């Protein structure tokens, strides 16, 4: 596969060092052994780059911004180097009819071969009129493009689960890609925004093994979303010993104690932020003193709010026992979940489909 990306503004150059560094980071995130790194590098260096059509719907473009303009330039450049980004409204030079021609040309020429990346939720109310591009609704565009793609990557919690647009009362009837697309494999890379390494790892896995990585019941790759934030948090020892920040700015907060009592949702959030971290600074929300708000979970705007109150039902040491109940905090975590997130999450929070690696991934 190859394609023409002359229309794009970016022409990134990736140094060999940066290229290897990015592949090594992705291999580590994927949980692959060192022996697999050459195979990953070989797949990433293949001049036959997969064409990618990147669709923007209801969102803030934070996913693209964090991915391509991150303070970790090697990652952004590597991503642009291993794919042929044929259509992306934010970074392509073409506009108007020229851009739409590029989209139609790509999906026709590479039918069954290109990767479709979707960023943003899709409004379904009133015929989908709340998001239109070039006179077509997001629903129409997705229905046109997704069936012709080899695979769809839903990047960000908006594309995966509807995101902030789908928060109560969800006035536009926003949904995630998996609610509308069937017949084409769809993988969810949620987060608001997600860590670029999760996207890079997903693409490199696809290029190396010719298939998408194993996922949980929510369609999230297990390599990135297989464990809870709480499992690898550097403040976990404080949690276990009952040492908590009681409010922001108090002595416990300044001492780096656990943020559970000021609202951290790490005990019910599946993501690899404590290990993958963000940007060159190697930080993540909890490391800089703010609790996790559960941004990679379905309907987190409803289920994980109020963000600064305790998550209910978590047994904590230090005398409090099991804290609160579903009506006080994380008000919707149990009640609204079924209605808000549909059947994907109906099997219950915490239940995960965990599979081992295939032989070719060891
Ligand atoms: Fe959504 Fe991504 Fe949050 Fe924003 O586009 S996941 S609102 S960071 O940018 O889709
Ligand atoms: Fe870390 Fe939050 Fe768990 Fe505390 S509750 S250990 S801050 S993830
Ligand atoms: Fe999101 Fe929580 Fe990570 S808020 S970025 S999943 S620490």
């Amino acid at each position: 596969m190859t394609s023409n990306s002359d229309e794009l503004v970016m022409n990134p150059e990736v140094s060999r060092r940066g290229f290897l560094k990015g592949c090594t980071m992705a291999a580590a995130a994927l949980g692959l052994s060192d022996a697999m790194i050459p195979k990953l590098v070989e797949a990433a260096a293949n001049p036959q780059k997969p064409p990618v059509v990147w669709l923007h719907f209801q969102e803030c473009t934070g996913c693209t911004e964090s991915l391509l303009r991150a303070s970790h330039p090697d990652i952004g450049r590597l991503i642009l180097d291993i794919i042929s980004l044929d259509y992306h409204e934010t970074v392509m030079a073409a506009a108007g009819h020229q851009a739409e021609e590029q989209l139609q040309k790509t999906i026709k020429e590479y039918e069954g071969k290109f990767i479709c990346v979707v960023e943003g939720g899709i409004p379904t109310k009133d015929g989908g009129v709340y998001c239109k591009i070039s006179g077509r609704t997001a629903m129409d565009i997705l229905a046109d493009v997704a069936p012709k793609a080899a695979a769809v990557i839903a990047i960000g919690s908006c594309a995966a689960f509807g995101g902030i647009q789908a928060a109560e009362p969800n006035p536009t009837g926003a949904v995630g890609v998996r609610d509308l697309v069937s017949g084409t494999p769809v993988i969810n890379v949620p987060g608001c925004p997600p860590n670029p390494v999760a996207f890079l790892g997903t693409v490199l896995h696809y290029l190396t093994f010719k298939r998408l990585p194993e996922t949980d019941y929510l369609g999230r790759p297990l390599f990135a979303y297989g464990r809870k934030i709480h499992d690898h948090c550097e403040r976990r020892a404080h949690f276990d010993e009952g040492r908590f920040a009681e409010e922001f700015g108090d002595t416990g907060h300044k001492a780096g104690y656990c943020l559970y009592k000021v609202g951290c949702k790490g005990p019910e959030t599946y993501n690899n932020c404590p290990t993958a971290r963000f940007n060159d600074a190697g930080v993540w929300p909890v490391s800089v003193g703010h609790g996790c708000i559960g941004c990679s979970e379905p309907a987190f705007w409803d289920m994980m709010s109020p963000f600064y109150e305790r998550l209910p039902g978590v047994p904590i040491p230090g005398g409090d026992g099991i804290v609160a109940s579903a009506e006080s905090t994380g008000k919707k975590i149990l009640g609204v979940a079924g209605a808000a997130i549909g059947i994907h999450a109906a099997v219950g929070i915490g239940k995960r489909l965990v599979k081992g690696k295939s032989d070719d991934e060891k």
Side-chain angles (χ1 to χ4, degrees), residues 56 58-64 119-121 155-159 163-165 191-194 301:
H56 284 272
Q58 287 179 312
E59 37 82 15
C60 77
T61 313
C63 302
T64 284
E119 184 174 348
I155 187 167
S157 291
C158 299
I164 190 167
Q165 300 75 211
C192 191
W301 295 99

Side-chain angles (χ1 to χ4, degrees), residues 229-230 233-237 239 244 257-260 264-267 284 286 292:
I229 294 283
H230 196 53
C233 178
E234 64 254 37
R235 297 184 191 231
R236 179 61 185 267
F239 177 92
F244 297 98
Y257 288 176
C258 172
L259 302 170
Y260 170 73
C264 182
K265 305 300 186 289
W284 65 291
V286 168
C292 168

Side-chain angles (χ1 to χ4, degrees), residues 59-361:
E59 37 82 15
C60 77
T61 313
C63 302
T64 284
E65 289 289 339
S66 67
L67 198 70
L68 302 183
R69 302 178 206 283
S71 70
H72 202 314
D74 288 341
I75 296 288
R77 286 185 194 138
L78 178 58
I79 288 167
L80 288 171
D81 198 59
I82 61 177
I83 63 174
S84 174
L85 196 49
D86 284 32
Y87 181 88
H88 188 302
E89 288 151 13
T90 311
V91 300
M92 65 194 299
H97 294 300
Q98 199 187 8
E100 294 317 302
E101 280 164 21
Q102 178 75 5
L103 173 61
Q104 291 304 323
K105 180 171 170 278
T106 304
I107 64 175
K108 191 173 171 201
E109 202 169 328
Y110 300 104
E111 184 164 351
K113 296 175 181 168
F114 70 90
I115 297 171
C116 174
V117 179
V118 178
E119 184 174 348
I122 305 104
T124 58
K125 200 172 166 191
D126 299 327
V129 294
Y130 301 105
C131 180
K132 287 180 117 179
I133 298 146
S134 186
R136 289 203 295 167
T137 64
M139 283 172 76
D140 285 345
I141 295 169
L142 189 64
D144 181 21
V145 176
K148 300 183 178 94
V152 178
I153 301 175
I155 187 167
S157 291
C158 299
F161 307 126
I164 190 167
Q165 300 75 211
E168 289 185 281
N170 192 356
T172 66
V175 299
V177 172
R178 288 213 310 173
D179 289 311
L180 297 174
V181 173
S182 57
T184 304
V186 179
I187 193 161
N188 286 333
V189 183
C192 191
N195 193 313
V197 172
F199 179 79
L200 177 65
T202 300
V203 172
L204 277 177
H205 187 287
Y206 184 76
L207 296 182
T208 305
F209 303 108
K210 313 300 178 209
R211 62 174 186 276
L212 292 168
E214 295 287 350
T215 64
D216 67 4
Y217 74 101
L218 291 168
R220 304 178 295 194
L222 285 167
F223 76 83
Y225 303 90
R227 298 291 294 271
K228 291 178 180 178
I229 294 283
H230 196 53
D231 293 351
H232 293 292
C233 178
E234 64 254 37
R235 297 184 191 231
R236 179 61 185 267
H238 293 306
F239 177 92
D240 291 341
E241 293 298 322
R243 293 188 293 264
F244 297 98
E246 300 289 337
E247 58 184 54
F248 288 103
D250 70 5
T251 50
H253 189 232
K254 286 174 185 163
Y257 288 176
C258 172
L259 302 170
Y260 170 73
K261 290 187 178 178
V262 289
C264 182
K265 305 300 186 289
E268 278 299 350
T269 301
Y270 287 76
N271 208 334
N272 63 357
C273 309
T275 51
R277 298 179 173 251
F278 288 82
N279 307 326
D280 275 340
V283 295
W284 65 291
V286 168
S287 78
V288 294
H290 195 287
C292 168
I293 61 170
C295 79
S296 53
E297 292 298 315
F300 78 96
W301 295 99
D302 294 325
M303 290 172 63
M304 298 299 189
S305 58
F307 290 137
Y308 298 105
E309 290 181 20
R310 297 182 197 182
L311 189 66
V314 178
I316 62 168
D320 281 49
I322 293 180
V323 178
S325 61
E327 68 237 56
S328 66
T329 308
K331 56 183 180 190
K332 316 292 194 295
I333 198 159
L334 300 174
V336 168
I341 64 183
I343 57 169
H344 298 323
V347 292
I349 293 166
K351 183 180 177 188
R352 294 294 183 275
L353 175 65
V354 180
K355 293 178 182 172
K357 288 189 190 313
S358 307
D359 286 345
D360 58 350
E361 296 175 41

Side-chain angles (χ1 to χ4, degrees), residues 1-20:
M1 289 181 277
T2 187
S3 64
N4 174 12
S5 52
D6 293 346
E7 300 290 342
L8 299 176
V9 171
M10 292 190 180
N11 180 22
E13 288 182 12
V14 186
S15 69
R16 174 138 187 91
R17 190 176 144 272
F19 186 84
L20 291 174

